[in-house]
C-alpha cells in the first residue's frame, strides 16, 4: 500500500512547521516525548489511519503523564524532479581513434550504471583486478576490483567526493581517475 497526501487542511495547513505537501507519501508517525514510532510504509489506507489514531492516543497519554506535549510528528517521502547533467564521454577505439559522445545523466545517478545503461563499454575483460591480481573481470559494481576506472577530464566538482575505498582502489593513479562504481554524478 501507499498512502499519498491529497490535501492539507485545518490547523495543519496553518502550522508554521508543516512541511507536508500534496503528493507526499506517509512513511511513519512518531509520538513527541517518547520513543514510540509507527512505520506506515506499505500499509493500506485503513491500517495507516488506525496507526495514526494509535499514535494520537499514545501522545495524549504521554502528555497526561508529563512525558510529552501531546503532539505527533509525521514522516514523509517526497518525489522531486532531479536536475539533468550533460556528460561527455571520450570513447577510444582499438585502432587508437576516439569520438566524443554526449549523454544525459540525472543528478544522483551512479556513473558506472549510467555508462552501462547507455551501452558504453568500461570494462576490459583482460584487466587484472585490484582485489585478486590473478583474476580478470569485474566485481559487478561492488567497488572491489578497480576495473571500472575512468579518467575525469572536467567537472570533478559535480561528482561525489571520494570515499576511502575509492582512494584505496585508485592509489598510485592520477587524481583525475575515479572508480565509476563509486562515483555519483
Amino acid at each position: 500500500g501507499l498512502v499519498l497526501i491529497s490535501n492539507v487542511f485545518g490547523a495543519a495547513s496553518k502550522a508554521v512547521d508543516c512541511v507536508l505537501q500534496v503528493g507526499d507519501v506517509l512513511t511513519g508517525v512518531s509520538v513527541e516525548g517518547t520513543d514510540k514510532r509507527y512505520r506506515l510504509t506499505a500499509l493500506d489506507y485503513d491500517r495507516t489511519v488506525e496507526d495514526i489514531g494509535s499514535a494520537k492516543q499514545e501522545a495524549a497519554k504521554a502528555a497526561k503523564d508529563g512525558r510529552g506535549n501531546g503532539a505527533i510528528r509525521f514522516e514523509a517521502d517526497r518525489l522531486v524532479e532531479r536536475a539533468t547533467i550533460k556528460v561527455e564521454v571520450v570513447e577510444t577505439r582499438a585502432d587508437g581513434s576516439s569520438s566524443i559522445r554526449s549523454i544525459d545523466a540525472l543528478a544522483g545517478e551512479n556513473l558506472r550504471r549510467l555508462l552501462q545503461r547507455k551501452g558504453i563499454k568500461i570494462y576490459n575483460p583482460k584487466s587484472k583486478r585490484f582485489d585478486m591480481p590473478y583474476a580478470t573481470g569485474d566485481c559487478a559494481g561492488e567497488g572491489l576490483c578497480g576495473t571500472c576506472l575512468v579518467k575525469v577530464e572536467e567537472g570533478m566538482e559535480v561528482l561525489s567526493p571520494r570515499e576511502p575505498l575509492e582512494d584505496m582502489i585508485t592509489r598510485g593513479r592520477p587524481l583525475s581517475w575515479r572508480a565509476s562504481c563509486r562515483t555519483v554524478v
Side-chain angles (χ1 to χ4, degrees), residues 23 27 34 50 63 100 141 151 155 160 166 175 185:
T27 57
T34 73
E50 184 180 308
I100 297 176
K151 180 181 179 186
S160 59
E166 185 179 6
L175 290 175
V185 178

Side-chain angles (χ1 to χ4, degrees):
L2 187 65
V3 177
L4 294 171
I5 296 174
S6 62
N7 195 359
V8 180
F9 58 91
S13 66
K14 295 173 182 58
V16 174
D17 62 348
C18 181
V19 294
L20 293 177
Q21 295 179 8
V22 172
D24 287 350
V25 178
L26 293 179
T27 57
V29 61
S30 57
V31 179
E32 292 283 317
T34 73
D35 59 356
K36 187 69 173 174
R37 180 181 179 276
Y38 295 86
R39 189 178 142 269
L40 303 177
T41 305
L43 301 180
D44 64 18
Y45 177 81
D46 292 332
R47 180 64 195 273
T48 299
V49 170
E50 184 180 308
D51 281 1
I52 292 170
S54 296
K56 286 174 65 176
Q57 289 175 355
E58 185 74 30
K61 182 179 175 195
K64 185 177 178 184
D65 296 344
R67 295 181 290 126
N69 60 4
I72 59 173
R73 182 169 299 273
F74 286 102
E75 301 164 18
D77 283 344
R78 178 172 297 146
L79 295 176
V80 294
E81 188 173 342
R82 297 189 320 189
T84 302
I85 299 169
K86 190 72 67 186
V87 176
E88 290 187 347
V89 179
V90 179
E91 296 179 275
T92 306
R93 296 181 196 85
D95 65 4
S97 65
S98 62
S99 63
I100 297 176
R101 184 170 165 192
S102 184
I103 58 176
D104 289 329
L106 293 175
E109 192 165 3
N110 176 276
L111 185 58
R112 175 186 174 272
R113 286 193 294 270
L114 168 70
L115 296 173
Q116 287 184 320
R117 188 170 50 82
K118 296 294 184 173
I120 297 172
K121 185 178 176 188
I122 55 174
Y123 291 107
N124 178 341
K126 295 180 181 174
S127 292
K128 293 196 186 259
R129 292 175 60 136
F130 171 79
D131 61 335
M132 294 187 291
Y134 52 85
T136 60
D138 70 87
C139 65
E142 294 295 323
L144 302 172
C145 69
T147 60
C148 67
L149 298 180
V150 295
K151 180 181 179 186
V152 178
E153 294 181 354
E154 291 179 38
M156 194 70 82
E157 69 279 358
V158 299
L159 301 178
S160 59
R162 289 177 179 269
E163 300 172 346
L165 179 61
E166 185 179 6
D167 284 336
M168 187 175 67
I169 293 169
T170 59
R171 186 177 299 134
R173 308 217 190 232
L175 290 175
S176 60
W177 285 37
R178 296 292 305 265
S180 64
C181 68
R182 290 288 177 226
T183 304
V184 175
V185 178

